[in-house]
Amino acid sequence: ALTDTGFWEGECSLIGRDGQPVRAFRRVARAGDDRLVMYLRDSAGRSRSEELLRIRLQLSERARCESLDELLRSALDAAERLTDSSIGYLHVVAPDREQASLQAWSSNTLATMCRVRGEKEHHPTRRAGIWGDCCRERTAMIHNDYAGLPHKKELPEGHPPIVRVMGLPIIHGDKVLAIIGVGNKATDYIREDADALHELASMIMDLVERKQAEAQLLASEKRFRTVFEQAAVGVALVDPLTGRFVRVNAKYGDIVGYSPEAMLTMGFQELTHPDDVAVDLECISRLLRGEVRTFTREKRYLHRNGCNVWVRLTVSPLWAEGEEPSFNIAIVEDITARKAAEAALREAKEQLELRVRERTADLEQANRALQEEVAARSQAEKSLRASESRFRRLVQMAPLPLCF
């Protein structure tokens, strides 16, 4: 092969200084007529990188169907394989860093080694062992002679015996979020093991954040669905460009007399009183142009039975400024009873005002008649006084005394 290409390369197995086999990548090249140059590179790092890539792909696939607990267990199983360990664990650290709860064990640890109760029991970090050291020191801890540690903690009943152990903190920003650890490798843990575990821990936190975001999204969707379906008012998602109903709750259907399923084949224009459609379209156009972010108005729907239904309508867009229009959310409250009461009140007020006007006219007429009568009496009294005055003057001027 050297004769044909001038070099040869491939993996080989060598014996290390400690007597252990070492996998290496070897490249042999011709340097001259009678000299060869050989390059050796530890292939363990390359193999480990490939294994980490395989693990990332496997965990990403598992994240689609496994719960968070199952995914953490799968990740710890991978950590055991990656570091040739037989124990794997993960502790989640509380925000105050005063307590840590055991979040997950590897499958092998649970199945064959660990019988400790209280899988998610909380432990103060100040009383913890190596994983507490990781939290306090914020760096990887490797102990290849666990029995000889002066500060080791007494293992609880049912805990597997520990020969070697390695742990490291999972840090985000300036906070220790969790501690991941492995134990009981057949040979000593080395720095490369810690580096590989660190890479795996980064994958785990990415997947944990993804699963938590998915859980929060599902919880948010559940809350929205509950509020949407059980709201005491009508709620609907409406296409702002066509006016078609995209999603409708039962209360909305009750207000207009149609089932939510039937409304999904309709637009709001079909349900709106003809005299109110133009104002609706103008308000929605203003939303699309960004002139307003919401509008509220009172309008009439046409009930399935043919009668008018008065509603108080509030419409808001579900897209942010600058985004393409997606949906409007419409909230309607049936105010037909209020409108009927207002109409009845207006009619009663008009009737009362009519009666007041009629009574006022009657009183004004009676007052005019009374004034005319008073004026007539006053005139009669005045005429009588004038007649009496003339009679007295006549008596006084008579030449002879008058006797009656």
Side-chain angles (χ1 to χ4, degrees), residues 236-248 252-273 301-306:
L237 297 182
V238 183
D239 187 321
L241 302 179
T242 65
R244 307 290 289 186
F245 290 104
V246 178
R247 186 173 180 179
V248 183
Y252 210 127
D254 292 341
I255 291 174
V256 295
Y258 292 90
S259 69
E261 292 75 18
M263 292 183 67
L264 296 183
T265 65
M266 308 168 72
F268 75 85
Q269 301 92 327
E270 301 171 57
L271 296 176
T272 301
H273 191 283
Y301 277 135
L302 300 176
H303 195 276
R304 187 177 183 182
N305 62 15

Side-chain angles (χ1 to χ4, degrees), residues 69-372:
D69 287 344
E70 292 170 336
L71 185 61
L72 289 175
R73 188 163 299 164
S74 297
L76 290 173
D77 291 345
E80 285 185 346
R81 294 193 303 272
L82 190 65
T83 58
D84 297 321
S85 302
S86 58
I87 296 175
Y89 64 86
L90 184 139
H91 295 276
V92 174
V93 180
D96 57 7
R97 295 182 58 193
E98 290 299 320
Q99 285 191 334
S101 60
L102 182 58
Q103 185 70 17
W105 290 100
S106 67
S107 300
N108 181 64
T109 307
L110 286 174
T112 64
M113 304 186 72
C114 189
R115 297 293 182 269
V116 178
R117 293 186 176 182
E119 182 177 346
K120 295 188 178 181
E121 181 181 355
H122 294 269
H123 305 280
T125 56
R126 62 181 179 275
R127 298 210 316 262
I130 180 174
W131 53 267
D133 294 339
C134 292
C135 185
R136 289 185 291 270
E137 299 298 328
R138 302 169 67 86
T139 188
M141 293 288 178
I142 296 176
H143 297 295
N144 288 313
D145 180 17
Y146 184 81
L149 287 178
H151 65 288
K152 67 178 184 297
K153 302 297 181 181
E154 196 71 30
L155 298 177
E157 183 180 353
H159 196 286
I162 297 179
V163 179
R164 298 177 182 85
V165 65
M166 176 177 65
L168 59 87
I170 300 175
I171 301 175
H172 182 74
D174 61 346
K175 295 181 179 179
V176 178
L177 302 182
I179 305 296
I180 186 172
V182 291
N184 288 0
K185 180 182 178 181
T187 59
D188 285 354
Y189 288 106
I190 57 177
R191 187 67 210 180
E192 285 74 10
D193 293 323
D195 293 340
L197 189 61
H198 183 271
E199 289 292 326
L200 181 58
S202 298
M203 294 182 204
I204 292 174
M205 290 313 299
D206 289 343
L207 292 171
V208 167
E209 290 176 358
R210 171 180 160 186
K211 294 296 287 186
Q212 289 175 338
E214 290 175 354
Q216 291 173 358
L217 179 60
L218 288 174
S220 177
E221 290 178 348
K222 183 178 180 180
R223 288 193 298 270
F224 174 78
R225 187 165 54 251
T226 300
V227 171
F228 189 92
E229 296 298 338
Q230 298 182 6
V233 294
V235 184
L237 297 182
V238 183
D239 187 321
L241 302 179
T242 65
R244 307 290 289 186
F245 290 104
V246 178
R247 186 173 180 179
V248 183
N249 73 346
K251 184 63 177 179
Y252 210 127
D254 292 341
I255 291 174
V256 295
Y258 292 90
S259 69
E261 292 75 18
M263 292 183 67
L264 296 183
T265 65
M266 308 168 72
F268 75 85
Q269 301 92 327
E270 301 171 57
L271 296 176
T272 301
H273 191 283
D275 294 343
D276 294 341
V277 173
V279 178
D280 275 351
L281 293 176
E282 175 58 25
C283 290
I284 292 174
S285 295
R286 295 186 66 197
L287 281 181
L288 291 172
R289 293 194 298 266
E291 296 177 7
V292 294
R293 289 299 296 166
T294 186
F295 71 84
T296 300
R297 63 182 300 261
E298 294 181 356
K299 59 174 284 186
R300 289 162 292 179
Y301 277 135
L302 300 176
H303 195 276
R304 187 177 183 182
N305 62 15
C307 67
N308 291 335
V309 178
W310 277 96
V311 298
R312 186 175 188 271
L313 169 70
T314 300
V315 178
S316 299
L318 292 183
W319 68 89
E321 292 186 23
E323 294 181 349
E324 287 296 319
S326 55
F327 301 110
N328 286 336
I329 184 167
I331 300 174
V332 295
E333 178 186 1
D334 188 346
I335 60 172
T336 304
R338 193 196 84 192
K339 284 290 186 179
E342 290 175 353
L345 182 61
R346 282 196 303 271
E347 184 179 357
K349 182 180 179 182
E350 290 172 358
Q351 290 291 331
L352 179 60
E353 289 176 349
L354 177 60
R355 292 177 183 177
V356 168
R357 286 195 299 271
E358 292 175 346
R359 183 59 177 163
T360 301
D362 291 342
L363 291 174
E364 288 176 349
Q365 184 177 0
N367 186 53
R368 285 195 298 270
L370 179 61
Q371 288 177 348
E372 291 173 357

